[in-house]
Amino acid sequence: MENDLFDKPLKIDNRPMWLIVIDHTARYQLIAGFLVICIILFRLAPPPGLSLNGYHAVILFGATIFLWVSGLLPIAVTALLSMVMLPLLGIMEAKKTYALFGNEAVFFILGAFILAAAMTADFPPGWPVRCSPASARPRPGWRQRFFYCRLFFPLS
Amino acid sequence: MSEHAVAAMMFPVVAEIATALRLEKGSSSFGRLLFMAIAWGCIIGGIATFLGGARAPLAAGMLRENTGLTFGFLEWTAAACMIVLPLLGIGFFLLLRFFPPDLRNVEEGVKFLNRKRLESGRFSYDEMLTAVVMLFTICGWIFFGEKTGLAAIAILGTAVLFTFRVVSWKKIEEYVNWGIILMYGGSIALASALEKSGAALWIVGKGLGLFAQSPFIAIMVISLVSILLTECISHAAVVAILMPVGMGLATSIGIDPKVMTLSIALPAGLAYCLPMGTPATAIAYASGFLKSRDIIVAGSVIMAISWILFLFSVVFVWPHLGLKN
């Protein structure tokens, strides 16, 4: 019991309570601030030369970039969120929005990922090594360079 | 294969070689050279085809959604190889210059590589079948990609693998990055909304109006933004952010949308400078042989060379491939 206590010593945070609360809720404050700014921007009138839908799309685009760069949400979740917001904000019809998810590029990358996964799963870790030239015997002064070359080029 | 998968596969091999050669972390220049070779080899090779990463298919999909134009597998590879091939040579010698080999004897490493190859033995039935399916799929993309679509050929290839029970679905579930696939659909829908609502053109007019005087300057600026941005955020996110703007820019100043797509997607794959830029660099950094300074200094030089090579290709090489700006 005593050993346990010493193995995991209790840490006491001596900072003022308000600082601890701010520190522990920083992420939620950031999200709340982000949401407030988005709502304010959505309620403003569009700038001249831009339609209301276009203005809303620009704000959504900016919000998506912020979430991608800040990492507040996973990239995939941010992308899906931006997609569902399109019909919710009236930027695009729901049917049209969800149809875009079935783009050919999505299915291509799905197929390519499965093929690549089969290569990774099937081939032993040394497959690039297998592809490297084996029997050549360079001059002694060039051995280090040749050895490095055997690794560099199969990789690319 | 995607660059980060290759880096992840090669890391244990190179780590074992480093151990066999008794290379010391922090002081061995040859150790730094080997791990930087993993990172740069994967990054440079990763932009050569559609298979090197997620960004190229995403960019091609966005191009198709916006303009109806398609990229053939060979067309993309031909355009990218004009940058990749010289970069491979330059990268090879640049690394030797930055990290000169400080080792007299590499016999242990050679023995290790040969032992590893012998341990791997002959190609098994499953491995051979996977290689054959991959080969046929790539040939299908090259010769029938435009007619049937790249996606159909890719899915047919996977169907063959499952038909012959080369892989199990459970294994595939572990290896596939499902998050990126979800991101694709969302990004394409958002980009389409920006384009159809006129927002993309408006952003270009307001934000990039100054650079829209000449097509070459516009390409210079957007490729520079792409290559810098990719150091901080994921390659696919760079493409998703810049493609709607780039398509608007291409429409407003009359650049071939295919050139604009390449100007965003190719530099978006060239993240050399920061460990967070790409998993390949992060994996090399994780070895403990490299300091941040090693990666940043050498990375900055190859990044500048890559950008210049890219611009050189835009002006002198791509017009011969039918890609005029």
Side-chain angles (χ1 to χ4, degrees):
Chain A
M1 180 70 182
E2 265 183 31
N3 280 344
D4 278 355
L5 275 175
F6 286 114
D7 284 345
K8 294 173 186 171
L10 194 65
K11 282 182 185 169
I12 299 169
D13 198 336
N14 290 320
R15 290 178 301 169
M17 183 57 88
W18 62 271
L19 203 61
I20 295 171
V21 172
I22 286 177
D23 191 23
H24 282 252
T25 58
R27 176 189 156 81
Y28 302 105
Q29 291 168 43
L30 196 62
I31 291 173
F34 164 73
L35 283 175
V36 169
I37 290 170
C38 284
I39 291 167
I40 291 170
L41 288 174
F42 269 110
R43 295 182 75 85
L44 295 176
L50 189 63
S51 66
L52 186 67
N53 275 353
Y55 175 60
H56 286 171
V58 170
I59 296 169
L60 185 61
F61 184 51
T64 308
I65 291 174
F66 174 77
L67 288 174
W68 272 335
V69 176
S70 67
L72 279 173
L73 294 177
I75 282 181
V77 176
T78 304
L80 288 177
L81 185 67
S82 70
M83 192 177 73
V84 299
M85 291 309 284
L86 290 173
L88 286 178
L89 295 170
I91 298 168
M92 208 154 62
E93 286 171 38
K95 203 172 173 184
K96 213 171 181 181
T97 304
Y98 295 116
L100 285 166
F101 193 84
N103 189 284
E104 192 192 344
V106 176
F107 289 97
F108 166 67
I109 197 68
L110 182 62
F113 273 6
I114 294 175
L115 286 169
M119 290 268 292
T120 315
D122 253 11
F123 284 58
W127 75 261
V129 176
R130 277 178 164 177
C131 303
S132 66
S135 54
R137 285 279 178 265
R139 283 185 292 125
W142 278 87
R143 281 206 166 176
Q144 296 91 330
R145 287 174 180 81
F146 180 72
F147 179 71
Y148 149 67
C149 179
R150 282 176 66 176
L151 290 167
F152 185 83
F153 288 105
L155 279 174
S156 45
Chain B
M1 285 178 75
S2 70
E3 59 180 71
H4 57 269
V6 178
M9 281 169 73
M10 277 308 290
F11 180 76
V13 177
V14 175
E16 280 188 65
I17 292 171
T19 312
L21 291 173
R22 296 188 186 87
L23 302 178
E24 280 183 32
K25 286 182 185 178
S27 62
S28 169
S29 179
F30 196 67
R32 282 183 219 149
L33 180 67
L34 291 182
F35 284 101
M36 283 298 279
I38 294 186
W40 284 19
C42 291
I43 293 167
I44 296 169
I47 66 163
T49 69
F50 274 134
L51 299 173
R55 64 210 161 259
L58 176 62
M62 285 175 148
L63 171 76
R64 188 176 175 156
E65 200 51 54
N66 273 288
T67 62
L69 294 170
T70 53
F71 257 112
F73 188 85
L74 210 57
E75 193 182 4
W76 184 283
T77 307
C81 275
M82 300 302 152
I83 304 161
V84 169
L85 295 177
L87 258 183
L88 279 178
I90 294 168
F92 177 78
F93 288 105
L94 204 63
L95 277 182
L96 279 175
R97 177 102 184 150
F98 272 106
F99 309 105
D102 55 352
L103 207 67
R104 284 183 167 227
N105 191 351
V106 288
E107 280 307 316
E108 281 304 314
V110 175
K111 276 183 197 164
F112 175 83
L113 280 180
N114 289 337
R115 196 169 63 239
K116 197 85 186 166
R117 198 176 48 254
L118 287 173
E119 278 171 10
S120 311
R122 293 166 67 93
F123 277 94
S124 69
Y125 168 75
D126 285 355
E127 286 171 0
M128 273 197 282
L129 202 61
T130 310
V132 169
V133 169
M134 201 67 203
L135 192 71
F136 271 97
T137 308
I138 291 172
C139 289
W141 282 333
I142 293 169
F143 298 112
F144 309 109
E146 295 219 13
K147 202 183 268 181
T148 58
L150 299 173
I153 296 165
I155 300 289
L156 282 175
T158 62
V160 173
L161 288 180
F162 284 105
T163 306
F164 289 98
R165 293 182 179 171
V166 176
V167 281
S168 67
W169 183 249
K170 205 171 178 184
K171 216 155 205 176
I172 294 298
E173 273 183 323
E174 287 170 23
Y175 282 91
V176 172
N177 188 346
W178 301 100
I180 288 288
I181 293 168
L182 294 177
M183 185 214 167
Y184 268 40
S187 306
I188 288 173
L190 182 60
S192 182
L194 281 169
E195 192 261 326
K196 288 193 171 110
S197 63
L201 269 176
W202 183 83
I203 294 172
V204 169
K206 291 284 167 192
L208 293 168
L210 271 177
F211 309 112
Q213 307 302 324
S214 118
F216 182 67
I217 292 174
I219 288 171
M220 263 178 79
V221 171
I222 204 128
S223 59
L224 185 65
V225 172
S226 177
I227 208 167
L228 293 176
L229 207 58
T230 198
E231 294 291 350
C232 312
I233 57 176
S234 87
H235 303 333
V238 173
V239 171
I241 291 167
L242 291 181
M243 272 300 284
V245 181
M247 287 296 102
L249 191 61
T251 312
S252 69
I253 55 173
I255 302 174
D256 181 351
K258 284 186 168 183
V259 173
M260 184 53 79
T261 305
L262 287 166
S263 304
I264 293 166
L266 294 181
L270 298 169
Y272 302 98
C273 296
L274 298 173
M276 65 184 179
T278 172
T281 316
I283 287 168
Y285 181 69
S287 68
F289 278 87
L290 293 156
K291 291 175 191 146
S292 301
R293 192 180 168 277
D294 297 327
I295 297 175
I296 293 168
V297 173
S300 305
V301 175
I302 191 81
M303 187 176 82
I305 292 171
S306 300
W307 188 56
I308 292 165
L309 260 176
F310 165 78
L311 294 176
F312 182 84
S313 293
V314 171
V315 177
F316 297 107
V317 184
W318 288 0
H320 298 292
L321 301 173
L323 298 163
K324 287 181 185 167
N325 57 53

